[in-house]
Amino acid sequence: MNLVQLYYKKTIKYKYQNIDFKFLVSQNLFSSQKIDNGTNRLLRTLTFQNVNKFNKVLDLGCGYGPIGIILKKISEKSEIHMVDIDALALDFCKANADINNIKNNIYIYGSIGYDSVKIQDFDLIVSNIPAKVGKEMLEHIIKDAQFYLSKNGIIAIVVISQIAEYIQELLLSDTNITILYHKSYPGHEIYHYTFNKFSKNNKEKNILLEQSNLKVREQDPLLHLLNFKIMKCNSDNIVIFNSFGIEIPLYLINKFNPKQIYLINRNLQELTTLNKEILYNYTENKIHIYHQVDLSIKDLKVDIIIGLLPEQESLSLYTLFIKEALQMLSKDCHLILISSSNVISKIEELITKESFVKLKRTRNKGQSVIILKKIQ
């Protein structure tokens, strides 16, 4: 069973220009009940404005894929790039491209804004812009589009009303921007715009990552447990999944001095920022990053796996996690987990006498930390 099947919630049906579409969705992703009003309205304005002559499209923050997949279907010879920071969204996007019979010239990959977009000359950049990305990212999305557009290219965006005033200020205050179309809806504003002059020299690239900061969560119980004397095993290879801020990774580096560190995270922003922070204290060739939802890394054996388990997931997902941890850990090595007390209790129920033995568990303010040793 693959990850899309495990996270699957329902299939959404949608019709655009008399073409029927189907989209697999997860409750963990934005707009899991239906195609949201912002996406629907943005697509309709593209039709009304006859924005249908494009050879190359960038769908920025693609989610599970409705905008890019629909545009690809109505212009089958076009090249479509779809990017997002969420690895789960990208997994669903790829699955949705398959079920809508889109096979060629579609590229789906992780990117923080435009940072991993390696090509230029898009005829159309589209985005249903998230509201909670912060002002620096909003400015990056709005203004740095010029570095990725063709000479006559346009940007089409939809934003919710809460950030509409700031977006309008960005557009109107830049003399290099010309607004081609603007329409207000209840709860949404839509803009199509272009640039008067285009540049291919993006001096601002990656500036957002330099300014990013992961919040350090309260991890006192975990730090206390890591000092526990039972932690006596090889520590050459350590996996850290889901972000702890920088405190825990640096503690592990100082305590165990591992030869290799493997960082796994569904959120590319957190993953990239953590990687950059660790690089201040560690050499680059010893750090490996994996933008993915699951734990599995093929043919890798490690000595310690430590991470934050998400809450409110299905028992089948926790079962998969335990199975993957068993495959990756060497014998007599440790799995260290932190989550809600309810989740950690579920993990205790899933482990068997033949797989793990519980060494220690501690609770603090509704959170639990547990150390398991693989005995298989």
Side-chain angles (χ1 to χ4, degrees), residues 112 115 136-137 140 203-214 268-280:
I112 304 166
D115 286 339
E136 291 89 354
M137 179 60 81
H140 169 66
K203 295 181 180 179
E204 301 300 318
K205 193 169 181 65
N206 289 327
I207 190 171
L208 294 172
L209 295 182
E210 299 291 348
Q211 297 173 341
S212 296
N213 242 338
L214 285 181
L268 185 59
Q269 177 76 64
E270 293 183 357
L271 181 65
T272 307
T273 304
L274 181 58
N275 181 48
K276 290 175 73 68
E277 294 288 347
I278 292 177
L279 285 175
Y280 288 115

Side-chain angles (χ1 to χ4, degrees), residues 350-375:
L350 288 172
I351 63 174
T352 65
K353 293 180 180 179
E354 295 77 27
S355 58
F356 288 106
V357 60
K358 182 177 77 172
L359 300 180
K360 184 75 173 179
R361 176 175 176 174
T362 186
R363 297 174 176 85
N364 183 55
K365 297 179 181 179
Q367 296 259 288
S368 283
V369 181
I370 191 169
I371 293 182
L372 303 171
K373 183 171 77 170
K374 179 180 175 180
I375 58 176

Side-chain angles (χ1 to χ4, degrees), residues 5 8 24 27 33 56 77 117 165 196 206 211 222 224 231-232 304 310 320 333 364 367:
Q5 289 175 310
Y8 171 81
L24 308 178
Q27 66 180 7
Q33 293 296 328
K56 193 181 295 183
K77 293 182 179 180
V117 179
E165 183 176 348
N196 303 320
N206 289 327
Q211 297 173 341
L222 183 54
H224 172 75
M231 293 296 295
K232 293 179 180 179
I304 297 174
L320 174 64
C333 289
N364 183 55
Q367 296 259 288

Side-chain angles (χ1 to χ4, degrees), residues 276-336:
K276 290 175 73 68
E277 294 288 347
I278 292 177
L279 285 175
Y280 288 115
N281 299 274
Y282 225 56
T283 56
E284 186 172 5
N285 64 341
K286 293 185 178 182
I287 303 173
H288 313 272
I289 64 173
Y290 293 84
H291 182 216
Q292 60 189 51
V293 180
D294 61 332
L295 183 65
S296 178
I297 301 173
K298 187 177 180 182
D299 299 327
L300 178 65
K301 284 292 184 182
V302 299
D303 306 305
I304 297 174
I305 299 175
I306 180 169
L308 183 69
L309 275 181
E311 299 179 35
Q312 299 178 338
E313 299 292 4
S314 68
L315 197 60
S316 58
L317 281 166
Y318 296 132
T319 302
L320 174 64
F321 175 85
I322 293 297
K323 179 181 178 181
E324 291 175 338
L326 270 172
Q327 291 174 339
M328 291 177 67
L329 278 171
S330 300
K331 186 180 178 181
D332 296 326
C333 289
H334 297 92
L335 174 62
I336 309 168

Side-chain angles (χ1 to χ4, degrees), residues 230-249:
I230 56 175
M231 293 296 295
K232 293 179 180 179
C233 72
N234 292 330
S235 53
D236 288 343
N237 300 289
I238 293 179
V239 167
I240 302 169
F241 69 93
N242 295 340
S243 292
F244 287 94
I246 190 60
E247 182 179 357
I248 296 302

Side-chain angles (χ1 to χ4, degrees), residues 34-72:
K34 63 177 183 177
I35 302 296
D36 66 286
N37 288 335
T39 293
N40 183 55
R41 289 163 173 169
L42 179 61
L43 286 166
R44 301 300 171 187
T45 64
L46 293 175
T47 299
F48 299 152
Q49 293 299 106
N50 295 317
V51 183
N52 53 15
K53 295 181 180 178
F54 48 81
N55 296 313
K56 193 181 295 183
V57 176
L58 173 62
D59 181 0
L60 194 66
C62 62
Y64 55 78
I67 296 176
I69 288 171
I70 288 169
L71 293 179
K72 174 64 176 174

Side-chain angles (χ1 to χ4, degrees), residues 139-245:
E139 185 172 357
H140 169 66
I141 293 170
I142 296 298
K143 294 190 175 184
D144 288 355
Q146 65 180 299
F147 305 120
Y148 300 90
L149 279 178
S150 63
K151 186 175 181 180
N152 297 312
I154 72 166
I155 305 98
I157 60 171
V158 58
V159 298
I160 63 171
S161 297
Q162 288 90 324
I163 60 171
E165 183 176 348
Y166 181 71
I167 295 297
Q168 182 162 307
E169 180 183 337
L170 285 176
L171 293 170
L172 293 177
S173 64
D174 192 330
T175 57
N176 193 36
I177 290 175
T178 296
I179 297 174
L180 304 173
Y181 174 86
H182 174 217
K183 186 171 179 63
S184 297
Y185 291 93
H188 291 97
E189 301 287 328
I190 291 179
Y191 293 92
H192 300 178
Y193 65 99
T194 191
F195 294 91
N196 303 320
K197 296 179 181 179
F198 294 86
S199 172
K200 299 305 178 188
N201 182 21
N202 186 358
K203 295 181 180 179
E204 301 300 318
K205 193 169 181 65
N206 289 327
I207 190 171
L208 294 172
L209 295 182
E210 299 291 348
Q211 297 173 341
S212 296
N213 242 338
L214 285 181
K215 294 180 180 179
V216 179
R217 299 185 179 99
E218 275 192 23
Q219 300 294 344
D220 288 345
L222 183 54
L223 287 174
H224 172 75
L225 203 57
L226 288 175
N227 280 313
F228 195 57
K229 63 182 180 180
I230 56 175
M231 293 296 295
K232 293 179 180 179
C233 72
N234 292 330
S235 53
D236 288 343
N237 300 289
I238 293 179
V239 167
I240 302 169
F241 69 93
N242 295 340
S243 292
F244 287 94

